[in-house]
Amino acid sequence: KMIIGAVVLAGVVAAGAYGFIAQQNAQREKERAEYDKTLASANKERVILEKETSYPIQSRDHVGANQPHEAFTTNPPTSGPHSAPARGGFFSGEVTDEQAIHNLEHGYVWLTYKNIPSWQIDEIEALAKKYAGRVVASERPDNETNGVILVAWGKMLTLSKFDEKIAEAFIARNYNQSPERLAR
């Protein structure tokens, strides 16, 4: 009876896990479809300067703070050598590239901005608080363009201005799409 009970219990657990995974995959596909629809709408409005771009992954080396390392191949970086992660949420000051990359490796989205109006910064702060466990938001004077750049592991999207719907779609599509998903 114990063996039969164990087999039945294992079957129930396996069926539950399968159902959970199938539900997650269906939700992810729904989010991606919504994201693609949002991108198409935003492109019609000429909000997006460049569509989301994928980049080759650089090393995943851990380096100490201020330690020399290979140059990043994107600006802002989408992967590469990194140090200790930043806490999630909004930063009124800068976050180092190396910190943010560690967050990206753990599945976060990095929302950077340069020379945008203060009311947009307030909106970014509200979004970062809403998604504190998924987003790091900070000013980044080293961005090549003014506006907002959303970064995930190997992905980047450049916006001329902050758009909450597009940012949320990018987060939904790219959150936890990294080598160390939900690492702490």
Side-chain angles (χ1 to χ4, degrees):
K1 289 182 180 181
M2 291 180 72
I3 293 173
I4 292 172
V7 169
V8 168
L9 179 61
V12 168
V13 169
Y18 177 80
F20 177 75
I21 291 169
Q23 181 182 14
Q24 278 190 323
N25 287 339
Q27 180 63 28
R28 183 174 294 133
E29 290 304 315
K30 178 182 174 187
E31 289 171 351
R32 286 177 192 237
E34 289 173 7
Y35 173 83
D36 290 338
K37 185 177 176 181
T38 302
L39 271 183
S41 171
N43 282 329
K44 288 179 187 174
E45 298 171 15
R46 299 187 174 273
V47 172
I48 297 178
L49 298 175
E50 298 174 19
K51 288 186 179 182
E52 179 181 310
T53 305
S54 296
Y55 294 94
I57 301 302
Q58 288 186 257
S59 75
R60 291 177 49 207
D61 295 338
H62 288 254
V63 297
N66 302 316
Q67 181 181 347
H69 56 74
E70 68 181 288
F72 298 120
T73 57
T74 61
N75 182 11
T78 59
S79 65
H82 51 274
S83 62
R87 63 170 170 70
F90 180 82
F91 287 81
S92 56
E94 293 179 53
V95 172
T96 68
D97 292 346
E98 292 80 8
Q99 286 178 298
I101 293 168
H102 201 148
N103 287 80
L104 299 180
E105 183 186 41
H106 289 192
Y108 279 67
V109 170
W110 185 21
L111 193 156
T112 70
Y113 59 90
K114 176 181 172 181
N115 295 330
I116 62 172
S118 61
W119 61 269
Q120 285 188 356
I121 295 171
D122 293 342
E123 290 180 355
I124 289 170
E125 184 174 5
L127 181 88
K129 286 179 181 176
K130 181 178 178 180
Y131 293 101
R134 298 179 182 188
V135 171
V136 172
S138 65
E139 182 174 18
R140 189 169 183 276
D142 291 339
N143 285 356
E144 292 178 351
T145 61
N146 292 332
V148 175
I149 302 177
L150 294 150
V151 183
W153 187 255
K155 306 280 185 188
M156 186 185 311
L157 178 65
T158 302
L159 305 173
S160 59
K161 63 180 183 176
F162 178 69
D163 184 296
E164 183 176 6
K165 288 184 180 188
I166 294 172
E168 286 186 330
F170 185 90
I171 293 164
R173 179 177 172 135
N174 293 293
Y175 167 68
N176 209 23
Q177 301 299 310
S178 63
E180 294 183 22
R181 296 179 177 187
L182 296 177
R184 296 266 176 221

